[in-house]
Amino acid sequence: MSTHTDLFQLPGAALSSRFLLGSAGYPDPQTLARAIAASGTQVLTVGLKRTLQAGDNGFVAGALQAAQAQGARLLPNTAGCRSAREAINLAQMARELYGTRWIKLEVIGDEHTLQPDPFELLCAAQTLVREGFEVFPYCTEDLVLCRRLLDAGCPLLMPWGAPIGSGQGLNNIAGLRSLRQRLPDTTLIIDAGIGAPSHAAQALELGFDAVLLNSAVSQARDPVAMAGAFKSAIKAGRAAYRAGLMATQDFAVPSTPVSGHAFLLGSAP
């Protein structure tokens, strides 16, 4: 099961890494650069709105340099946008600044959960697809919304595992499993809520194609070591999915059946 025969498909790219990494919240540019290297990521996300408001100070440039050193692609995002108009304007700026048609589309509808606004999200996606963008929408596991986004021309979906930055893991296993089953040919990337490498492994075991995370690495005591831990967990989860997990049971099943076979108790005379 070589990774060279199990490539991860994104628009215009075939990748071996299924770990998409965010670039916000690191203690310093050097730690971010080392975390990028440890993660093995081939897709790095950058929040343009945050950069414009807080200033770059070389942080983004350093992140891009570290990403390019290992052949990673840039995925600008519209984090912080609350309307379709705002997200569209930001996406257009990102395309001009970074020269990419990729955009991770976020349109937030609730301040407490940071849940996507399905109506504004779909509106923005429809417009950006018409303008030639490859739209990666951050959405919920709602099947109807997901189908509408695909109908609008989005090449993939990025359903949340849990609220952004919460570290809760996969809150709705049944809903995510159903989404994977109902959209078997769609690229699905778990985005948001991942807090531990075990959460990422679980997502891959469910059949999701990749995970995108930020805070679980940037807020760790040792971001570089945590990036490496996630890299290993994601590989393990994918390998387990391809190997085929055993079926779960509601009752015990002996691993060494003895029914119908002669056996001896105690030691031999």
Side-chain angles (χ1 to χ4, degrees):
M1 297 185 186
S2 169
T3 56
H4 297 293
T5 61
D6 182 35
L7 297 178
F8 170 45
Q9 299 292 330
L10 290 179
L15 310 177
S16 57
S17 172
R18 295 172 181 270
F19 185 3
L20 288 69
L21 184 65
S23 57
Y26 288 83
D28 53 69
Q30 294 75 25
T31 299
L32 171 58
R34 291 169 56 216
I36 291 171
S39 72
T41 187
Q42 293 175 295
V43 178
L44 182 73
T45 67
V46 174
L48 181 58
K49 186 173 183 178
R50 184 183 299 108
T51 300
L52 293 175
Q53 290 178 340
D56 182 0
N57 295 325
F59 208 98
V60 173
L64 294 179
Q65 184 177 10
Q68 292 168 353
Q70 60 192 49
R73 301 276 296 266
L74 180 67
L75 176 60
N77 68 59
T78 63
C81 291
R82 265 64 181 178
S83 71
R85 180 185 295 275
E86 186 181 15
I88 291 166
N89 290 340
L90 198 62
Q92 293 167 341
M93 293 176 63
R95 181 165 59 181
E96 292 298 319
L97 283 172
Y98 300 121
T100 179
R101 295 191 301 124
W102 284 10
I103 190 72
K104 180 192 168 191
L105 180 60
E106 295 185 33
V107 186
I108 300 303
D110 181 76
E111 295 298 325
H112 180 68
T113 63
L114 299 182
Q115 180 173 329
D117 183 321
F119 306 102
E120 295 293 305
L121 178 67
L122 181 58
C123 177
Q126 291 168 334
T127 298
L128 291 173
V129 168
R130 287 196 299 267
E131 294 185 0
F133 284 87
E134 297 286 1
V135 179
F136 298 19
Y138 163 62
C139 56
T140 66
E141 69 276 17
D142 182 275
L143 179 62
V144 175
L145 171 61
C146 288
R147 281 177 167 164
R148 294 291 185 270
L149 289 167
L150 293 174
D151 290 343
C154 296
L156 55 85
L157 301 169
M158 304 183 78
W160 67 348
I164 294 173
S166 68
Q168 296 174 13
L170 307 184
N171 275 352
N172 186 0
I173 298 293
L176 291 171
R177 181 181 289 113
S178 176
L179 186 67
R180 176 71 284 176
Q181 292 171 347
R182 299 295 296 277
L183 301 175
D185 300 321
T186 300
T187 297
L188 298 177
I189 302 171
I190 291 292
D191 176 21
I194 297 293
S198 57
H199 300 156
Q202 185 180 32
L204 273 291
E205 289 169 2
L206 287 173
F208 284 83
D209 297 282
V211 296
L212 189 155
L213 59 93
N214 186 119
S215 299
V217 171
S218 68
Q219 302 304 309
R221 184 173 62 252
D222 184 341
V224 178
M226 187 61 75
F230 269 103
K231 176 182 178 180
S232 298
I234 289 165
K235 285 185 175 181
R238 178 63 181 176
Y241 173 73
R242 297 185 74 196
L245 298 173
M246 66 173 287
T248 58
Q249 305 284 353
D250 292 330
F251 48 84
V253 179
S255 57
T256 307
V258 296
S259 178
H261 298 274
F263 61 95
L264 298 176
L265 294 176
S267 58

